[in-house]
Amino acid sequence: MWRATVVLALTAGPFTDAELVRVMRMGPLPALPADPTNAVADDDRAAVFGQQLFFDKQFSRGGNTSCATCHEPKQWFTDGRSLAEGEDRDQRHAPSLLNVVYQRWFFWDGRADTLWAQALHPFEQPAEFDTTRLDALRAVQADENLLKQYEEIFGAMPDLSLDWDDRDDDRKSTITRAFSNLGKAIAAYERLLVTGPSEVDQFIASLRNDEPTDALSPSARRGLKLFVGEAGCHRCHSGPLLSDGEFHNIGIPALDHDLPQDSGRWDGLASAQASEFSAFGSCSDDPN
């Protein structure tokens, strides 16, 4: 049935059966995956709060950087730069956050295993926000609107009067747990950054319904046939996200044309396992 439809619909000629199976696997996007490690992942209040945190520059040392600095909506939630620039220049460029909810690993090296853990990293990175978890919470406390939202979602803000070095381990743990709540709210917002149906999605939907379609131009149809066929693009770019979700060294040289020095996944995996914000750590809402 699929092949009969394609024969009628494609001026570029029919897909083979194998190609057609690959096309059908390219869409649509599935339902949002659950995140049991984040109790407020699908809480509308948390998403609104997280959106405000996402665009707020007061959390950076110089007051010049927010999440949106490197993930700008008008740039498809990236920044269009070769290397991201927050309070300083970073060592990698900023990936888009569109459909980030479907990822298994976060950052180019996968050093975070949940979306909320990823959202916490920029706060304490010198090239990004260059602040501390304690100062981030104090910024929320000093903002009447943000504090009200935080406490409606997560309960009372802990005592922030003592400096970090003056705290014992239990009090540091309390601050760390409260800090993780900021990441969980930002993640609740980022879970909503999902793309709508594309022309390819519309094309696939027509195939599923055995309906003729003009959703793709003849040239786009030829490109799709190459993509899932002779060109072999599908070997790495498959499924609704056009990715295999794995890590690859594609041999791109450094900007200074020297040999690449980025250890990538080699160190990223160790960082993910050691992170205090891992899915199985003390800040997770479901370490199991």
Side-chain angles (χ1 to χ4, degrees):
M1 181 171 61
W2 293 346
R3 188 164 188 170
T5 300
V6 175
V7 171
L8 293 173
L10 296 185
T11 59
F15 288 114
T16 66
D17 290 341
E19 291 168 351
L20 190 54
V21 168
R22 295 169 192 148
V23 170
M24 301 296 282
R25 289 174 177 168
M26 291 172 62
L29 287 170
L32 296 186
D35 182 3
T37 71
N38 181 1
V40 299
D42 298 307
D43 186 318
D44 291 341
R45 299 172 304 163
V48 171
F49 179 51
Q51 182 182 34
Q52 293 177 55
L53 298 177
F54 187 92
F55 290 96
D56 198 329
K57 294 182 177 181
Q58 68 172 311
F59 295 102
S60 62
R61 172 176 50 81
N64 302 308
T65 307
S66 70
C67 302
T69 300
C70 294
H71 302 286
E72 183 182 348
K74 291 182 179 179
Q75 294 278 358
W76 300 95
F77 287 90
T78 182
D79 59 5
R81 299 175 181 268
S82 297
L83 297 175
E85 292 188 20
E87 293 299 292
D88 201 350
R89 175 170 285 187
D90 211 339
Q91 297 180 357
R92 295 172 176 154
H93 84 271
S96 173
L97 294 180
L98 293 177
N99 298 327
V100 70
V101 63
Y102 295 105
Q103 301 296 339
R104 293 186 301 160
W105 302 99
F106 304 90
F107 296 108
W108 290 116
D109 57 7
R111 65 185 182 274
D113 60 3
T114 64
L115 186 53
W116 59 268
Q118 180 280 323
L120 295 172
H121 280 252
F123 285 92
E124 299 183 300
Q125 291 300 308
E128 297 182 67
F129 290 5
D130 194 23
T131 188
T132 68
R133 60 193 65 181
L134 184 56
D135 285 341
L137 290 172
R138 284 172 172 168
V140 172
Q141 185 181 58
D143 188 309
E144 182 178 352
N145 175 49
L146 294 180
L147 179 62
K148 181 176 184 293
Q149 291 182 78
Y150 177 95
E151 295 191 330
E152 286 178 349
I153 300 165
F154 300 108
M157 180 72 75
D159 178 14
L160 304 178
S161 59
L162 293 176
D163 288 335
W164 185 257
D165 290 339
D166 296 329
R167 296 173 179 272
D168 58 27
D169 288 344
D170 286 343
R171 289 176 176 174
K172 287 180 179 179
S173 178
T174 299
I175 294 300
T176 297
R177 176 75 187 191
F179 176 59
S180 76
N181 291 334
L182 303 187
K184 290 172 183 177
I186 294 172
Y189 165 63
E190 292 178 343
R191 283 173 62 84
L192 304 179
L193 303 180
V194 177
T195 55
S198 67
E199 292 179 353
V200 174
D201 292 319
Q202 297 170 23
F203 178 76
I204 293 171
S206 296
L207 297 184
R208 290 187 186 279
N209 295 325
D210 195 28
E211 297 173 350
T213 177
D214 58 359
L216 293 180
S217 67
S219 62
R221 295 173 183 180
R222 291 192 295 271
L224 180 59
K225 181 175 175 61
L226 281 171
F227 190 95
V228 298
E230 185 177 355
C233 308
H234 68 278
R235 293 189 179 94
C236 293
H237 303 283
S238 58
L241 297 181
L242 299 181
S243 172
D244 63 4
E246 301 300 334
F247 298 91
H248 300 274
N249 182 351
I250 56 176
I252 295 179
L255 292 180
D256 60 5
H257 305 294
D258 200 355
L259 292 175
Q261 300 298 316
D262 193 329
S263 59
R265 183 58 170 163
W266 181 265
D267 288 336
L269 178 57
S271 296
Q273 291 174 323
S275 173
E276 60 190 319
F277 301 116
S278 70
F280 51 84
S282 60
C283 291
S284 172
D285 293 324
D286 185 0
N288 294 318

